[in-house]
Amino acid sequence: MGSTEDKIKGNWNELKGKFKQKFGELTDDDLAYAEGKEDELIGKIQKKTGKAKEEIKKFIDEF
């Protein structure tokens, strides 16, 4: 498991707030997280924001 997934697991409540600040169009439903479903979560964020997967992962990794 990479650092992106570790950061999602360990800091999800804080990270979710940061996503809402950066991407105001994201809802709680968009940011619903289930352990082991990190790729699915990133895919939802990607679809909603139109950002590249790498950009989303970079945002998480820089958190």
Side-chain angles (χ1 to χ4, degrees), residues 2-63:
S3 65
T4 301
E5 288 82 3
D6 290 341
K7 286 190 178 186
I8 290 173
K9 276 185 177 181
N11 304 299
W12 183 240
N13 287 332
E14 285 180 72
L15 192 52
K16 183 165 71 168
K18 295 288 183 190
F19 268 113
K20 283 182 165 184
Q21 285 175 2
K22 185 166 176 76
F23 306 108
E25 65 270 25
L26 292 172
T27 66
D28 285 334
D29 285 344
D30 295 326
L31 296 171
Y33 166 66
E35 192 168 326
K37 303 275 188 176
E38 291 84 5
D39 282 340
E40 186 178 304
L41 172 68
I42 291 170
K44 278 195 228 176
I45 295 169
Q46 183 181 7
K47 184 176 180 182
K48 187 81 176 221
T49 63
K51 302 294 181 190
K53 186 174 187 173
E54 291 75 25
E55 187 176 347
I56 294 165
K57 284 188 166 193
K58 183 179 177 193
F59 179 79
I60 292 167
D61 290 342
E62 290 174 349
F63 174 72

